[in-house]
């Protein structure tokens, strides 16, 4: 985490005479993508364990439905805690970022969170706020977002 924080979240100049980069928005987007990848590992692992019979049989060799199926319970819990307590808080602080693309990337990131994280507390509120904002953008800024992700509990109650 310290490496990620130093390279992607801290906008420090590389030398004392250099100015801080104004292109740091791409680093913030990259950080959100890394958080998304960790969230997807957890989501796929939970999905794979609930569907043990989804192995693909090809010439008597069984392949798991995705490469992260082999996480043990302890590994899953450890990765879940890292996501929730270490990686997610800095990402949530980007909810009011000045750069629209960073907020869009954060919204996509929050949509793929494990359900227990996505549907709880601050994450749920921020995701709903960002979704509402995205719907108001001219040109349909959010229309290409993946809509196959199940709605949050709050959205289910509204329907």
């Amino acid at each position: 985490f310290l490496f990620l924080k130093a390279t992607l979240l801290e906008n420090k100049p590389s030398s004392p005479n250099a100015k801080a980069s104004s292109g740091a928005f791409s680093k913030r987007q990259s950080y959100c993508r890394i958080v998304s990848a960790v969230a997807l590992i957890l989501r796929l692992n939970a999905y794979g364990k609930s569907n043990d019979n989804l192995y693909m049989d090809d010439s008597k060799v069984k392949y798991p439905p995705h490469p992260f199926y082999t996480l043990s319970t302890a590994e899953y819990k450890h990765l879940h805690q890292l996501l929730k307590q270490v990686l997610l808080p800095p990402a949530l602080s980007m909810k009011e970022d000045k750069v629209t693309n960073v907020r869009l990337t954060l919204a996509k990131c929050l949509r793929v969170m494990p359900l227990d994280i996505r549907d709880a507390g601050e994450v749920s509120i921020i995701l709903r706020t960002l979704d509402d904002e995205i719907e108001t953008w001219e040109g349909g800024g959010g229309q290409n977002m993946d809509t196959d992700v199940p709605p949050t509990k709050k959205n289910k109650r509204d329907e």
Side-chain angles (χ1 to χ4, degrees), residues 90-157:
L92 293 178
S93 70
M94 297 176 203
K95 68 184 178 227
E96 295 176 0
D97 198 283
K98 294 176 185 177
V99 179
T100 304
N101 284 347
V102 173
R103 295 192 311 274
L104 178 61
T105 305
L106 176 61
K108 290 178 180 180
C109 170
L110 296 179
R111 283 178 167 248
V112 298
M113 287 291 134
L115 299 179
D116 65 310
I117 294 174
R118 189 187 75 195
D119 293 340
E122 187 180 13
V123 174
S124 177
I125 293 167
I126 291 171
L127 179 58
R128 275 186 278 126
T129 303
L130 290 171
D131 282 344
D132 290 345
E133 177 188 352
I134 290 166
E135 287 179 21
T136 66
W137 293 343
E138 287 186 31
Q143 68 185 2
N144 294 326
M145 291 182 70
D146 184 7
T147 57
D148 291 339
V149 177
T152 61
K153 288 180 185 177
K154 173 81 173 144
N155 291 343
K156 285 181 185 176
R157 282 184 258 146

Side-chain angles (χ1 to χ4, degrees), residues 10-44:
E10 294 177 0
N11 193 15
K12 292 183 179 178
S14 55
S15 68
N17 297 332
K19 291 183 179 181
S21 169
S22 61
F25 73 92
S26 63
K27 292 181 179 181
R28 294 190 303 275
Q29 284 180 282
S30 295
Y31 184 82
C32 286
R33 288 184 186 111
I34 291 168
V35 173
S36 296
V38 173
L40 282 172
I41 290 169
L42 293 172
R43 289 279 299 265
L44 290 172

Side-chain angles (χ1 to χ4, degrees), residues 54-70:
L54 289 180
Y55 281 93
M56 297 172 218
D57 198 1
D58 185 281
S59 67
K60 299 184 182 187
V61 177
K62 289 189 175 185
Y63 300 99
H66 55 80
F68 304 109
Y69 184 71
T70 57

